[in-house]
Amino acid sequence: MSRAEAADAGATAAPAPAPAPAAARRWGLSLLLSEVTTTFRRWRTLALLGVLAAVPILIGIAVKIETGGDGGDGGHGGGGPAFISQVTNNGLFLVFTSLAATLPFFLPMAIGVIAGDSVAGEAGSGTLRYLLVAPAGRTRLLLAKYATTMAFCFAATLVVAVSALAVGALLFPLGEVTLISGTTIGFGEGLLRALAIAAVVALSLVGVAALGLFVSTLTTSGVAAMATTVGLLITVQILDQFPQLSAIQPYLFPHYWLSFADLLRDPVYWDQVLRNLGLQALYAAVFGSAAWARFTTKDITV
Amino acid sequence: MEEGRTGPKPWPGAAEGAPVVETRGLTKRFGAQLAVDGLDLVVPRGSVFGFLGPNGSGKTTTIRMLMGLIEPTSGTARVLGEEMPRGTRRVLPRVGALIEGPALYGFLSGRDNLMRFDAADPTADARTRRARVGHALDRVGLTSAAGKKARAYSLGMKQRLGLAAALLQPRELLVLDEPTNGLDPQGMREIRTLVRSLASEGTTVFLSSHLLDEIEQVCTHVAVMARGRLLTQGTVGELASSTRGRLAVTTPDTAEAVRVLKEHGVNDLAVLDDRVTGELPAGPATELADLNAALVRADVRVRAFGTERASLEDAFVALTGEGFDVAG
């Protein structure tokens, strides 16, 4: 009797591996999609994006008030960011100003929160063990987590850029863009350059994202991982300020961040931009591998 | 089992009745502490296997090793014919698991929680996902609460949702770690019914618990762990019968009964009101009818006579020599 049942069980379960080839096409997609929607449905993610969207609004209003509400003369060059004096002439410059203002801290902090929580948060709440016995596969899950963090990098940058463009268009005139090198380009090309800058800014965050993911595999406390990642970011930003440390500074991930301004030259200076992207790729490779090595051998005891 | 390996079957020896779980010298050490010590466990296909032990006896660590969540320090664990954790990807889609209580995304609805866990399984078909999730919710009686955020669930509802996650696909093996934790008596009964019906469909159920009557009610086989070591394993009947029952005689003539029984080698005699109980002598089974005849010959008026069957609890206490809540 029990033998017959056992054979039955074998027969009914036998077709189970059959749909595998069909499922292979969706190998990464299902999990990635679930990962992205889960992350973006979190109240915390939306709050972070909300804060990022508020930054350009604050800068725009501050500039508007400071210049007496009239965009006539904007040529007062203070010690502020390079583009801020241009904002009153052209709202598009609010995009560059906002990205320059959020890139050193706001953006990487938001990434640090998302990346730091990605694995550690699930480990802490116990959902990680259920994903792993599903079985999500450790490498596959880590890739999905990293891809989702990258998606957040782009989303966060885009939120800043779009919010800045909207505020800029609302408060200031739009028009031809005078580049740093003095040449003038049309508004359409200016918009394209803004898009390219947003892309470079998003890619500048690849390094922090990988660092955060690695930290996230070290602990089962999401809060600890977030705090560590943000703490590391602040430390590295401070180290990048001391002239005495100039020997190591070219290897610090934020060192070339503000080089995105070189995309506003004619011709574009690619040197520092490429160095930035190369450095980010290096960080992604090193900390990505470290995260993989750690996560694939880790005992999941929570 | 050996001959099965040559066949093109998806898992070796399934039809031959190879064990669903088989461990050899499975050991896990956390620092200085030996959590699991040389475990040789065999879970037969088609059984409802009770995994018993006090809290902290290494049950959950064993389950985590079987599920590929932690790597053994030494020894091997084979699940559905493949060694873990190497076979994780091929084995786990055929295994449903509830490990150390449910863990859910509080900000997602019950249904979306299941959608997410199902999406994590690369063998799960996305086209049938909604239907399978609906079916699993129905099976654990959560359909009406499926749209509620999981953080608003009671512990019992969370437990049910965890069970539903284990039932998203037809499984060959269900691993349920303390599945009735936090459930009310009605919920416990429902879970037991569910376990029985799953078992009758041919699913092997591996059920860990510290509740003896739960194991006794639903399990066919049982293994007992204490302090990281396997004390015994076998069928529930074997384990219970390995502990000798006690003789119980109800009579108004207790003093005389005690004298006669003592003469016939019954030990540990105790008198409570009109009941005399005692341990039957070891060695060749004493013929109970002869004992009864001896009592009657000595003019002991016998109202009731018989042995009390040993419960699993007696067997457990005999094995571990301790109560259940004492950690090893």
Side-chain angles (χ1 to χ4, degrees), chain A residues 7-122:
Chain A
D8 250 351
T12 49
R25 280 180 285 117
R26 296 180 293 269
W27 186 75
L29 228 61
S30 239
L31 180 60
L32 179 60
L33 219 66
S34 156
E35 195 63 48
V36 170
T37 48
T38 305
T39 303
F40 281 91
R41 280 172 76 178
R42 284 209 124 132
W43 185 84
R44 186 181 56 212
T45 311
L46 300 179
L48 283 173
L49 293 178
V51 168
L52 287 170
V55 172
I57 300 174
L58 290 179
I59 297 176
I61 291 173
V63 171
K64 187 80 179 171
I65 291 171
E66 204 189 331
T67 53
D70 199 274
D73 72 336
H76 74 102
F83 312 113
I84 203 156
S85 53
Q86 296 251 34
V87 171
T88 44
N89 292 329
N90 191 340
L92 192 57
F93 272 86
L94 190 60
V95 175
F96 310 137
T97 309
S98 302
L99 287 174
T102 50
L103 183 52
F105 284 110
F106 279 105
L107 275 172
M109 249 158 73
I111 307 306
V113 168
I114 298 295
D117 193 50
S118 60
V119 177
E122 300 239 24

Side-chain angles (χ1 to χ4, degrees), chain A:
Chain A
M1 179 66 189
S2 73
R3 184 157 287 238
E5 271 172 15
D8 250 351
T12 49
R25 280 180 285 117
R26 296 180 293 269
W27 186 75
L29 228 61
S30 239
L31 180 60
L32 179 60
L33 219 66
S34 156
E35 195 63 48
V36 170
T37 48
T38 305
T39 303
F40 281 91
R41 280 172 76 178
R42 284 209 124 132
W43 185 84
R44 186 181 56 212
T45 311
L46 300 179
L48 283 173
L49 293 178
V51 168
L52 287 170
V55 172
I57 300 174
L58 290 179
I59 297 176
I61 291 173
V63 171
K64 187 80 179 171
I65 291 171
E66 204 189 331
T67 53
D70 199 274
D73 72 336
H76 74 102
F83 312 113
I84 203 156
S85 53
Q86 296 251 34
V87 171
T88 44
N89 292 329
N90 191 340
L92 192 57
F93 272 86
L94 190 60
V95 175
F96 310 137
T97 309
S98 302
L99 287 174
T102 50
L103 183 52
F105 284 110
F106 279 105
L107 275 172
M109 249 158 73
I111 307 306
V113 168
I114 298 295
D117 193 50
S118 60
V119 177
E122 300 239 24
S125 72
T127 44
L128 182 61
R129 64 174 182 263
Y130 285 108
L131 291 179
L132 291 181
V133 300
R138 296 194 185 202
T139 306
R140 179 169 167 256
L141 183 61
L142 198 66
L143 282 174
K145 293 272 180 202
Y146 191 56
T148 304
T149 311
M150 287 309 307
F152 180 78
C153 289
F154 278 92
T157 311
L158 216 61
V159 161
V160 173
V162 168
S163 161
L165 189 62
V167 174
L170 217 65
L171 296 182
F172 308 104
L174 294 176
E176 292 190 330
V177 179
T178 308
L179 298 176
I180 299 174
S181 46
T183 31
T184 305
I185 56 169
F187 179 71
E189 202 196 327
L191 213 54
L192 276 181
R193 296 227 180 183
L195 200 68
I197 283 177
V200 168
V201 167
L203 289 173
S204 301
L205 300 166
V206 167
V208 202
L211 179 68
L213 191 71
F214 170 61
V215 171
S216 193
T217 60
L218 297 179
T219 166
T220 56
S221 158
V223 175
M226 290 186 237
T228 309
T229 310
V230 172
L232 279 171
L233 166 76
I234 293 170
T235 312
V236 170
Q237 284 285 45
I238 291 171
L239 291 182
D240 203 30
Q241 302 304 314
F242 292 116
Q244 289 87 345
L245 296 173
S246 60
I248 59 155
Q249 281 170 357
Y251 304 101
L252 300 178
F253 61 84
H255 190 66
Y256 299 106
W257 271 358
L258 293 180
S259 68
F260 73 80
D262 289 348
L263 290 174
L264 285 179
R265 295 177 196 275
D266 199 27
V268 172
Y269 286 9
W270 287 107
D271 188 36
Q272 301 247 312
V273 174
L274 291 180
R275 222 177 271 185
N276 177 28
L277 297 183
L279 190 62
Q280 300 307 323
L282 182 70
Y283 269 79
V286 170
F287 287 103
S289 311
W292 178 81
R294 167 74 183 154
F295 187 57
T296 50
T297 55
K298 188 185 185 185
D299 278 353
I300 309 296
T301 53
V302 179

Side-chain angles (χ1 to χ4, degrees), chain A residues 3 6 9-10 13-14 17 23 26-27 30-31 34-35 38 41-42 122 125-127 129-136 138 140 145 298-302, chain B residues 11 16 28 30 45 64 67-71 88-89 92-93 97-105 107-108 112 116-117 119-122 125 129 172 202:
Chain A
R3 184 157 287 238
R26 296 180 293 269
W27 186 75
S30 239
L31 180 60
S34 156
E35 195 63 48
T38 305
R41 280 172 76 178
R42 284 209 124 132
E122 300 239 24
S125 72
T127 44
R129 64 174 182 263
Y130 285 108
L131 291 179
L132 291 181
V133 300
R138 296 194 185 202
R140 179 169 167 256
K145 293 272 180 202
K298 188 185 185 185
D299 278 353
I300 309 296
T301 53
V302 179
Chain B
W11 52 92
E16 285 80 19
K28 182 66 188 182
F30 292 116
R45 187 169 283 271
R64 281 177 185 273
M67 296 294 102
L69 289 173
I70 61 183
E71 199 147 359
T88 305
R89 218 143 131 213
L92 292 186
L98 181 68
I99 307 159
E100 240 187 325
L104 306 167
Y105 300 89
F107 59 98
L108 294 181
D112 287 340
R116 171 147 172 79
F117 289 126
D121 180 353
D125 191 343
R129 182 161 296 146
E172 279 176 70

Side-chain angles (χ1 to χ4, degrees), chain B residues 10-73:
Chain B
W11 52 92
E16 285 80 19
V20 169
V21 173
E22 192 174 18
T23 73
R24 294 236 172 89
L26 191 65
T27 302
K28 182 66 188 182
R29 184 184 286 280
F30 292 116
Q33 199 212 338
L34 208 52
V36 175
D37 184 7
L39 197 67
D40 295 314
L41 198 66
V42 179
V43 178
R45 187 169 283 271
S47 63
V48 179
F49 195 95
F51 196 37
L52 264 172
N55 299 326
S57 57
K59 299 192 302 279
T60 297
T61 303
T62 305
I63 289 174
R64 281 177 185 273
M65 283 193 278
L66 294 179
M67 296 294 102
L69 289 173
I70 61 183
E71 199 147 359
T73 307

